[in-house]
Amino acid sequence: MKLSNLSNWITVGANVGVLIGLAILILELNQNTRIAQTSAYQELVTQIVELNKLEASNPELAEIIYRGHLDASALTPVETRRMINMTRVIYRQGDLGYYQFVTGLISEDRMVSTLGPIRAWLLTDIGKQGWDSMRPNFTGDYIDYVENMMAGMEPDSPFWK
Protein backbone atom coordinates (compact mmCIF):
# COMPACT_ATOMS: atom_id res chain seq x y z
CA MET A 1 0.00 0.00 0.00
CA LYS A 2 2.79 2.40 0.88
CA LEU A 3 4.56 1.62 -2.39
CA SER A 4 1.37 2.40 -4.31
CA ASN A 5 0.95 5.74 -2.49
CA LEU A 6 4.57 6.61 -3.16
CA SER A 7 4.08 5.80 -6.83
CA ASN A 8 0.99 8.01 -6.97
CA TRP A 9 2.85 10.91 -5.37
CA ILE A 10 5.76 10.49 -7.75
CA THR A 11 3.32 10.53 -10.69
CA VAL A 12 1.61 13.67 -9.36
CA GLY A 13 5.01 15.32 -8.86
CA ALA A 14 6.09 14.39 -12.38
CA ASN A 15 2.86 15.78 -13.84
CA VAL A 16 3.28 19.03 -11.90
CA GLY A 17 6.85 19.23 -13.21
CA VAL A 18 5.61 18.77 -16.78
CA LEU A 19 3.01 21.52 -16.28
CA ILE A 20 5.62 23.88 -14.87
CA GLY A 21 7.90 23.06 -17.80
CA LEU A 22 5.11 23.77 -20.29
CA ALA A 23 4.31 27.08 -18.58
CA ILE A 24 7.97 28.13 -18.78
CA LEU A 25 8.11 27.08 -22.44
CA ILE A 26 5.02 29.16 -23.24
CA LEU A 27 6.53 32.19 -21.49
CA GLU A 28 9.78 31.78 -23.45
CA LEU A 29 7.90 31.44 -26.75
CA ASN A 30 5.93 34.61 -26.02
CA GLN A 31 9.13 36.44 -25.16
CA ASN A 32 10.84 35.18 -28.33
CA THR A 33 7.84 36.27 -30.41
CA ARG A 34 7.99 39.78 -28.95
CA ILE A 35 11.73 39.91 -29.61
CA ALA A 36 11.20 38.81 -33.24
CA GLN A 37 8.43 41.39 -33.70
CA THR A 38 10.57 44.15 -32.24
CA SER A 39 13.56 43.15 -34.38
CA ALA A 40 11.48 43.05 -37.55
CA TYR A 41 10.07 46.52 -36.92
CA GLN A 42 13.46 47.91 -35.90
CA GLU A 43 14.95 46.66 -39.18
CA LEU A 44 12.25 48.44 -41.19
CA VAL A 45 12.81 51.66 -39.27
CA THR A 46 16.57 51.34 -39.75
CA GLN A 47 16.07 51.01 -43.50
CA ILE A 48 13.94 54.16 -43.58
CA VAL A 49 16.54 56.02 -41.52
CA GLU A 50 19.30 54.87 -43.90
CA LEU A 51 17.33 56.13 -46.90
CA ASN A 52 16.83 59.49 -45.19
CA LYS A 53 20.51 59.65 -44.24
CA LEU A 54 21.50 58.87 -47.82
CA GLU A 55 19.52 61.82 -49.10
CA ALA A 56 20.63 64.10 -46.25
CA SER A 57 24.33 63.31 -46.69
CA ASN A 58 24.40 63.52 -50.49
CA PRO A 59 23.56 67.03 -51.71
CA GLU A 60 23.61 65.94 -55.36
CA LEU A 61 21.10 63.17 -54.71
CA ALA A 62 18.96 65.48 -52.58
CA GLU A 63 18.86 67.98 -55.46
CA ILE A 64 17.89 65.27 -57.95
CA ILE A 65 15.11 64.00 -55.68
CA TYR A 66 13.82 67.51 -55.09
CA ARG A 67 13.76 68.36 -58.80
CA GLY A 68 12.40 64.92 -59.68
CA HIS A 69 9.47 65.29 -57.33
CA LEU A 70 8.67 68.72 -58.76
CA ASP A 71 9.00 67.84 -62.44
CA ALA A 72 10.40 64.49 -63.54
CA SER A 73 10.64 65.67 -67.15
CA ALA A 74 13.33 68.18 -66.10
CA LEU A 75 15.73 65.38 -65.13
CA THR A 76 18.48 64.05 -67.37
CA PRO A 77 18.24 60.36 -68.31
CA VAL A 78 20.90 59.49 -65.72
CA GLU A 79 19.08 61.46 -63.01
CA THR A 80 15.81 59.78 -63.96
CA ARG A 81 17.52 56.40 -63.63
CA ARG A 82 18.84 57.34 -60.18
CA MET A 83 15.37 58.41 -59.09
CA ILE A 84 13.78 55.22 -60.35
CA ASN A 85 16.43 53.16 -58.55
CA MET A 86 15.68 55.04 -55.31
CA THR A 87 12.01 54.37 -55.90
CA ARG A 88 12.69 50.67 -56.30
CA VAL A 89 14.53 50.54 -52.99
CA ILE A 90 11.65 52.30 -51.26
CA TYR A 91 9.06 49.98 -52.79
CA ARG A 92 11.07 46.90 -51.82
CA GLN A 93 11.25 48.18 -48.25
CA GLY A 94 7.46 48.57 -48.30
CA ASP A 95 7.08 45.06 -49.67
CA LEU A 96 9.11 43.77 -46.74
CA GLY A 97 6.91 45.69 -44.30
CA TYR A 98 3.78 44.27 -45.92
CA TYR A 99 5.22 40.74 -45.81
CA GLN A 100 6.08 41.12 -42.13
CA PHE A 101 2.52 42.28 -41.47
CA VAL A 102 0.99 39.35 -43.37
CA THR A 103 3.18 36.86 -41.50
CA GLY A 104 2.28 38.40 -38.14
CA LEU A 105 5.68 39.85 -37.29
CA ILE A 106 4.39 43.42 -37.12
CA SER A 107 0.98 44.96 -36.53
CA GLU A 108 -1.00 46.71 -39.23
CA ASP A 109 -0.36 50.07 -37.54
CA ARG A 110 3.39 49.47 -37.70
CA MET A 111 3.16 48.35 -41.32
CA VAL A 112 1.16 51.45 -42.28
CA SER A 113 3.75 53.66 -40.58
CA THR A 114 6.56 52.02 -42.56
CA LEU A 115 4.69 52.70 -45.81
CA GLY A 116 5.01 56.46 -45.31
CA PRO A 117 7.90 56.79 -47.78
CA ILE A 118 5.94 54.83 -50.37
CA ARG A 119 2.90 57.06 -50.03
CA ALA A 120 5.08 60.16 -50.47
CA TRP A 121 6.82 58.81 -53.57
CA LEU A 122 3.64 57.52 -55.18
CA LEU A 123 2.18 61.01 -55.09
CA THR A 124 4.82 62.07 -57.64
CA ASP A 125 5.04 61.34 -61.36
CA ILE A 126 8.49 59.79 -61.01
CA GLY A 127 7.20 57.62 -58.17
CA LYS A 128 4.39 56.38 -60.37
CA GLN A 129 6.86 55.68 -63.17
CA GLY A 130 8.97 53.64 -60.73
CA TRP A 131 5.87 51.78 -59.51
CA ASP A 132 4.96 50.90 -63.08
CA SER A 133 8.43 49.45 -63.65
CA MET A 134 8.43 47.50 -60.36
CA ARG A 135 4.79 46.40 -60.24
CA PRO A 136 5.32 43.02 -61.97
CA ASN A 137 7.90 42.07 -59.32
CA PHE A 138 5.47 42.11 -56.40
CA THR A 139 2.77 39.77 -55.16
CA GLY A 140 -0.81 40.49 -56.11
CA ASP A 141 -1.79 41.13 -52.50
CA TYR A 142 0.90 43.77 -52.03
CA ILE A 143 0.00 45.43 -55.34
CA ASP A 144 -3.67 45.51 -54.36
CA TYR A 145 -2.87 46.92 -50.93
CA VAL A 146 -0.66 49.71 -52.28
CA GLU A 147 -2.98 50.61 -55.14
CA ASN A 148 -6.07 50.67 -52.91
CA MET A 149 -4.19 52.83 -50.42
CA MET A 150 -3.20 55.25 -53.17
CA ALA A 151 -6.66 55.28 -54.77
CA GLY A 152 -7.94 56.45 -51.39
CA MET A 153 -5.32 59.21 -51.28
CA GLU A 154 -5.76 60.26 -54.92
CA PRO A 155 -9.32 59.32 -55.81
CA ASP A 156 -9.34 61.52 -58.94
CA SER A 157 -6.04 60.26 -60.33
CA PRO A 158 -6.49 58.13 -63.45
CA PHE A 159 -3.29 56.29 -62.52
CA TRP A 160 -5.06 54.30 -59.79
CA LYS A 161 -8.16 53.46 -61.83
Side-chain angles (χ1 to χ4, degrees):
M1 189 83 154
K2 288 185 177 189
L3 193 53
S4 175
N5 278 343
L6 180 61
S7 176
N8 286 341
W9 281 110
I10 290 174
T11 301
V12 168
N15 288 338
V16 168
V18 168
L19 289 175
I20 290 171
L22 285 173
I24 291 171
L25 180 62
I26 289 169
L27 288 173
E28 287 179 4
L29 286 173
N30 285 336
Q31 182 179 20
N32 288 342
T33 299
R34 284 192 305 276
I35 289 169
Q37 290 169 334
T38 301
S39 296
Y41 183 65
Q42 180 61 43
E43 179 59 29
L44 288 172
V45 170
T46 298
Q47 290 173 7
I48 293 169
V49 167
E50 289 302 317
L51 287 170
N52 289 330
K53 283 170 52 176
L54 178 64
E55 183 178 347
S57 66
N58 186 329
E60 178 189 2
L61 179 61
E63 174 69 23
I64 292 169
I65 291 171
Y66 177 76
R67 286 187 298 111
H69 282 184
L70 289 178
D71 181 10
S73 67
L75 298 176
T76 69
V78 171
E79 291 171 338
T80 299
R81 182 77 177 157
R82 288 182 78 182
M83 283 287 290
I84 289 173
N85 284 336
M86 278 291 294
T87 301
R88 289 177 176 159
V89 170
I90 289 168
Y91 297 155
R92 278 285 173 212
Q93 182 269 337
D95 182 41
L96 176 60
Y98 181 79
Y99 174 76
Q100 289 180 348
F101 162 66
V102 169
T103 58
L105 280 174
I106 63 173
S107 68
E108 185 171 12
D109 290 343
R110 297 267 187 223
M111 187 264 306
V112 168
S113 76
T114 65
L115 295 182
I118 291 171
R119 288 189 299 275
W121 280 71
L122 284 173
L123 292 171
T124 67
D125 290 337
I126 194 83
K128 290 176 177 121
Q129 185 180 349
W131 179 254
D132 263 348
S133 72
M134 283 293 290
R135 192 177 190 279
N137 300 307
F138 297 120
T139 64
D141 289 346
Y142 177 61
I143 292 168
D144 290 344
Y145 186 88
V146 168
E147 292 184 354
N148 286 332
M149 172 184 70
M150 294 310 297
M153 291 181 66
E154 289 189 310
D156 298 328
S157 172
F159 188 82
W160 305 113
K161 304 270 186 245

